[in-house]
Amino acid sequence: MGTHRTRGAAVRAAAAFAAVATLLTVPGPVRAYADPTPAELDAQVATAWDELESVVEHYDTTRENLAATRARVAATDAQLAPLNQQIDDLQRKVGTIAAGIYKSSGEGPATALLSGESAGSLLNQLALLDHVARDQDQAIQALRVVTDRYETQRRALKNLERQQSTQDRELTVTKAVIESNLAELQALRTKVYAARASRSGLRDPYVPVFPNDAGGTALRYAYQQLGKWYEWAAAGPNTFDCSGLVLAAFRQAGRTLPHSAALQWKQVRHITRDDLRPGDLVFYYSDIHHVAMYAGDGRIIEAPQTGQQISIHQMDHAPIVGYGRVV
């Protein structure tokens, strides 16, 4: 997603929040016609959250991509350093041999040839120098081809880093909007659903089966986090967002995943719904801004949204894009 799309999502999120606020502050005379039902409020808050979660996930994705680009620049620099050193060493070697021949011939090779002193020896030395220089020149040229390729790659990476750094700075500003909207969303949810402050009595009692594999280990960790609160851009140990919970869970299984639902989708092996087993991942919405962990029996464990706790839900509560397995 581009920066303009992120800004647009932030604006739409703010508009959705405003719509919820309008529903809550309808003047007395028209209240009989405009008083929202719980279902209408749920729909308004869900719309606001869908827009906002896109911004949150884009923020996570941009930070992940920038970190990866910087790591690639550092790796390229590490590869360039020894190559440049090898070129310098080869050039120094040829120079040392040439200097040695010059010194051994007194005033220089031409003088030695004219004087007739050790001409055979000098010609042998010159032939050796020519042979060594030719071999070293080929090696230098080969090294320069590799070095040029790395330099070209480095320039492209630095350009990408500059672009991503610009996005990162812009998203730092967007972050303030996100946090403000999140605070407003939480206030609205509290105002409308004060009784939801504690949801332990509503928790799905389902207990997953934990397979003896990486997915099972991750699922067990996610299950142990039930009741902990959602916090955007968090990956534990006390709060999580959706992709942060998945990241932390699979870290327990020795697997490394990015902190982004969209990037996780690109990294997993895609499977069909019929292939789902506990510990697999379920991805939601066309821009893939939400991810959950399949718990079995048509259920998922997820960090839903701000103001809610990690919980077990029915899998088909939102549009599913696809399914994935961490291998």
Side-chain angles (χ1 to χ4, degrees):
M1 291 182 291
T3 302
H4 294 298
R5 183 174 178 180
T6 305
R7 289 173 177 166
V11 170
R12 291 192 298 273
F17 285 121
V20 180
T22 299
L23 285 174
L24 296 175
T25 57
V26 174
V30 296
R31 198 168 183 80
Y33 302 97
D35 198 23
T37 66
E40 288 171 339
L41 287 169
D42 273 336
Q44 291 287 339
V45 172
T47 299
W49 175 253
D50 287 345
E51 295 290 355
L52 190 56
E53 192 174 33
S54 292
V55 180
V56 171
E57 280 297 304
H58 182 68
Y59 181 88
D60 288 342
T61 300
T62 299
R63 299 306 294 269
E64 286 281 335
N65 286 337
L66 179 57
T69 299
R70 286 174 173 166
R72 290 171 64 192
V73 170
T76 302
D77 286 342
Q79 291 167 319
L80 276 171
L83 290 174
N84 288 327
Q85 185 61 51
Q86 288 180 55
I87 292 174
D88 291 342
D89 290 345
L90 287 170
Q91 289 174 330
R92 235 184 339 264
K93 183 176 180 181
V94 174
T96 300
I97 294 173
I101 293 176
Y102 185 87
K103 290 179 180 178
S104 67
S105 63
E107 297 179 4
T111 303
L113 283 171
L114 290 173
S115 64
E117 296 177 3
S118 304
S121 174
L122 179 60
L123 288 172
N124 288 336
Q125 289 178 319
L126 290 174
L128 174 62
L129 174 60
D130 180 68
H131 176 72
V132 170
R134 192 170 301 168
D135 286 348
Q136 301 304 323
D137 183 64
Q138 290 175 351
I140 289 172
Q141 292 305 317
L143 281 170
R144 279 181 174 152
V145 169
V146 177
T147 301
D148 288 345
R149 185 165 66 245
Y150 278 114
E151 288 282 8
T152 300
Q153 177 180 326
R154 186 181 187 279
R155 283 193 296 272
L157 286 172
K158 291 298 288 184
N159 287 335
L160 180 59
E161 182 185 13
R162 281 191 291 273
Q163 294 171 10
Q164 291 173 342
S165 294
T166 299
Q167 285 185 334
D168 185 56
R169 287 191 296 272
E170 292 173 347
L171 283 170
T172 299
V173 177
T174 305
K175 179 181 177 182
V177 177
I178 293 173
E179 291 173 339
S180 173
N181 287 345
L182 282 172
E184 185 176 353
L185 177 58
Q186 178 59 29
L188 289 171
R189 294 187 69 85
T190 301
K191 185 174 181 180
V192 178
Y193 301 112
R196 291 188 180 182
S198 174
R199 301 168 56 91
S200 58
L202 301 176
R203 179 184 296 178
D204 189 320
Y206 178 75
V207 178
V209 174
F210 305 106
N212 187 26
D213 57 15
T217 300
L219 180 62
R220 183 183 299 276
Y221 177 87
Y223 183 76
Q224 292 168 347
Q225 311 313 305
L226 289 176
K228 292 186 177 180
W229 292 96
Y230 179 98
E231 181 182 357
W232 86 278
N238 300 316
T239 56
F240 302 83
D241 65 8
C242 67
S243 56
L245 176 62
V246 170
L247 178 160
F250 275 96
R251 184 186 293 144
Q252 303 301 310
R255 303 294 191 273
T256 301
L257 291 174
H259 193 166
S260 160
L263 293 180
Q264 288 173 3
W265 170 251
K266 291 180 179 180
Q267 188 165 320
V268 300
R269 178 159 64 87
H270 297 170
I271 58 175
T272 67
R273 188 184 181 104
D274 290 340
D275 290 330
L276 275 174
R277 65 190 187 205
D280 288 336
L281 301 182
V282 184
F283 296 88
Y284 294 88
Y285 303 103
S286 59
D287 60 353
I288 312 182
H289 65 254
H290 189 67
V291 61
M293 191 174 297
Y294 185 64
D297 195 28
R299 291 173 168 87
I300 54 166
I301 295 178
E302 64 176 347
Q305 56 181 268
T306 189
Q308 292 187 347
Q309 297 162 299
I310 294 173
S311 49
I312 296 177
H313 294 130
Q314 291 296 316
M315 180 172 67
D316 292 308
H317 69 84
I320 296 174
V321 168
Y323 314 90
R325 179 167 298 152
V326 179
V327 294

